[in-house]
Amino acid sequence: MQIHLKGNTGFNSAKREKEILSLFDNRFHEFAKNKYLGDQDVLECLRIKAEQENDHEMVEKLQIRIDILVKGLVDEN
Amino acid sequence: MKTKNKKSKVNLFLDSGAYSAWSQNAEINIHEYIAFIKKNIKYIDVYANLDVISSDKISVEKAAAGTLKNQRIMEKAGLTPLPCYHFGEPLKYLKLYLKEHDYIALGGMVPISNKDLKPWLDDLFLKHLCDKKGMPKVKVHGFGMTSLSLMLRYPWWSVDSTSWVVTGRMGGILIPRKTNGKYDYNKNPLKIAVSAKSPATKKLEAHYNTFSPVQQKIFREYFEGKGFKLGESSFRKVKRKESYVLQEDEKWNKKKESIVETIIEPGLCNDYKLRDELNIIYFLDLEKKMKKWPWPFKLKKKMKGFFE
């Protein structure tokens, strides 16, 4: 059974904030490595989109998240 | 630097937020919802129908018809939302959804007591959602299914819960109980307040500080085993709060009363993010300990008395 951890991940919250990003971001903080979050490709797509829209604050936030994710995936070899 | 190919799959379940909107007297525009899904469809694995919730003004029958109408609007727009059947609605709606879908959701359960939910769910799983052997015929999602006993009783494919965030924000952490020295996820977890600011700090066996040293050791073993520390804070009153500049390790506890919290050691007692993370871990562990879907639902026969 899958337990979906809800909390500001619904449509209402997404509307209030930065759309889809809030679905990934809300309340999970640096927990990007767990399965509910953190596909690097998705985050990078969002970062590119934010760059195009000159949303520097969002670019910075996403970069932090990508860095955390990559750090978790780095192969020591 | 190379990255491993083991990327975590994003598992996104989009709830329409209809229940939250209903509880706040707000309305969701279905066309906005459709546009939102279409815009973000590649990121979303499952999205729910925009359900209509019954109230004093809307009868259960009307709500069920409204929910079905929304389902059709979304389908006409080219989407395949997860249909939602609510507590107390006429069975014809459930039967219709079962004909058309292999994954459905049950909702409207949050305000209903377990005593009333159990016979309703027993009946649904026994007669409609499972076959003669008790095996689930479809995947079933339980909206707001936070009761552990009901979570374990039925072969849900998925459920959702806000307990991880609610508990953390109230200053608490979830700790599994032990049976014969092992963590037992079949029992309701203990909710222990750990926040240094919690109003429960003086309540016996409600706050970490008010448990016996032996119990505290048991709790510590759990959260330290998961890589978390309790942490330490101190509190002091400052003069002239308007002109006071907080230091890096300080935050306002009660600004009105000019009380500043100084973080001596960061940990569960002074960082809600850490409490969130520990509570997420509890749910991830609970998920791992559950029976693998599908498994048969069977009602246990009541033992008859000698003279019956």
Side-chain angles (χ1 to χ4, degrees):
Chain A
M1 182 175 70
Q2 300 170 5
I3 304 174
H4 296 286
L5 301 176
K6 255 180 27 170
N8 280 11
T9 54
F11 175 59
N12 285 325
S13 318
K15 269 203 305 186
R16 276 202 301 272
E17 300 182 27
K18 289 277 181 183
E19 295 202 337
I20 194 74
L21 177 63
S22 70
L23 298 168
F24 293 96
D25 188 36
N26 269 295
R27 312 281 170 87
F28 290 93
H29 318 292
E30 291 99 60
F31 230 66
K33 282 173 277 179
N34 86 51
K35 69 172 188 165
Y36 294 97
L37 270 189
D39 186 310
Q40 195 185 338
D41 293 336
V42 173
L43 292 175
E44 272 170 3
C45 287
L46 290 165
R47 183 175 59 81
I48 291 163
K49 199 180 157 210
E51 258 174 8
Q52 286 167 349
E53 289 171 4
N54 288 322
D55 188 343
H56 304 298
E57 192 190 334
M58 190 57 61
V59 171
E60 204 176 305
K61 274 187 184 177
L62 285 162
Q63 192 55 56
I64 292 166
R65 224 158 281 127
I66 291 165
D67 290 345
I68 291 164
L69 178 68
V70 173
K71 204 173 142 197
L73 296 169
V74 168
D75 187 342
E76 285 177 2
N77 298 321
Chain B
M1 281 201 310
K2 280 181 184 176
T3 55
K4 280 181 182 173
N5 286 327
K6 278 196 276 176
K7 273 185 195 169
S8 311
K9 165 84 174 77
V10 172
N11 187 355
L12 253 189
F13 185 114
L14 180 70
D15 177 8
S16 69
Y19 183 77
S20 311
W22 172 80
S23 60
Q24 292 157 22
N25 274 331
E27 250 182 56
I28 292 172
N29 180 314
I30 191 163
H31 301 291
E32 272 183 36
Y33 183 47
I34 289 169
F36 177 83
I37 294 169
K38 285 189 171 178
K39 194 175 167 192
N40 300 296
I41 192 90
K42 63 181 171 179
Y43 307 127
I44 303 167
D45 294 276
V46 180
Y47 47 92
N49 179 24
L50 175 60
D51 47 349
V52 178
I53 296 159
S54 62
S55 64
D56 296 342
K57 291 173 192 164
I58 306 170
S59 68
V60 174
E61 173 69 47
K62 269 193 180 170
T67 300
L68 177 60
K69 191 181 162 196
N70 283 348
Q71 180 82 21
R72 296 299 184 232
I73 292 172
M74 291 182 75
E75 286 167 357
K76 271 188 188 162
L79 299 178
T80 49
L82 182 72
C84 190
Y85 174 71
H86 299 88
F87 180 84
E89 286 181 352
L91 273 171
K92 65 178 180 184
Y93 292 96
L94 176 68
K95 287 177 182 171
L96 180 72
Y97 294 139
L98 288 174
K99 266 187 201 168
E100 298 175 358
H101 298 267
D102 56 9
Y103 188 14
I104 65 151
L106 300 182
M109 300 185 283
V110 174
I112 314 297
S113 70
N114 279 10
K115 196 182 145 213
D116 292 332
L117 270 182
K118 211 164 125 181
W120 181 69
L121 288 169
D122 278 356
D123 195 62
L124 287 190
F125 275 92
L126 208 62
K127 294 180 186 164
H128 305 283
L129 303 173
C130 295
D131 64 18
K132 281 178 187 169
K133 289 179 181 169
M135 294 302 280
K137 292 190 280 190
V138 291
K139 290 175 182 171
V140 183
H141 178 82
F143 271 120
M145 178 42 61
T146 49
S147 154
L148 186 66
S149 63
L150 297 180
M151 222 188 253
L152 297 171
R153 186 176 172 86
Y154 307 101
W156 305 101
W157 167 258
S158 56
V159 296
D160 58 74
S161 173
T162 53
S163 301
W164 67 281
V165 70
V166 175
T167 307
R169 289 320 134 91
M170 301 294 281
I173 55 170
L174 298 165
I175 298 183
R177 289 171 199 266
K178 277 186 166 181
T179 303
N180 298 327
K182 285 186 177 174
Y183 293 118
D184 186 348
Y185 287 84
N186 289 316
K187 288 183 178 168
N188 279 320
L190 292 161
K191 272 186 201 175
I192 309 295
V194 288
S195 167
K197 296 189 283 185
S198 168
T201 40
K202 284 169 191 163
K203 243 188 223 173
L204 193 64
E205 299 204 337
H207 193 278
Y208 177 86
N209 294 346
T210 62
F211 279 88
S212 71
V214 177
Q215 286 167 312
Q216 287 183 354
K217 189 173 171 257
I218 294 169
F219 302 153
R220 256 198 332 272
E221 272 172 8
Y222 173 72
F223 60 70
E224 287 179 357
K226 298 289 182 191
F228 293 81
K229 282 180 182 172
L230 184 63
E232 194 183 344
S233 284
S234 70
F235 298 89
R236 67 191 170 91
K237 202 164 187 172
V238 293
K239 287 176 186 169
R240 293 184 197 143
K241 65 184 174 201
E242 289 77 18
S243 58
Y244 186 81
V245 181
L246 287 173
Q247 303 299 302
E248 207 174 297
D249 58 349
E250 288 180 343
K251 54 185 178 182
W252 287 110
N253 179 24
K254 288 176 186 166
K255 201 171 181 183
K256 273 186 188 171
E257 294 169 32
S258 315
I259 297 173
V260 167
E261 178 181 5
T262 307
I263 315 280
I264 298 164
E265 184 188 34
L268 298 166
C269 81
N270 49 32
D271 189 344
Y272 72 88
K273 294 177 189 176
L274 295 175
R275 293 196 291 274
D276 282 354
E277 290 181 13
L278 183 64
N279 291 334
I280 288 173
I281 287 172
Y282 167 78
F283 279 101
L284 294 175
D285 287 342
L286 170 65
E287 195 183 59
K288 277 184 221 152
K289 301 283 175 190
M290 286 183 160
K291 272 190 266 184
K292 208 176 173 185
W293 192 91
W295 53 270
F297 169 65
K298 280 175 187 167
L299 273 184
K300 281 178 189 162
K301 282 180 188 166
K302 281 183 185 168
M303 296 291 282
K304 283 192 175 178
F306 188 74
F307 296 105
E308 284 181 71

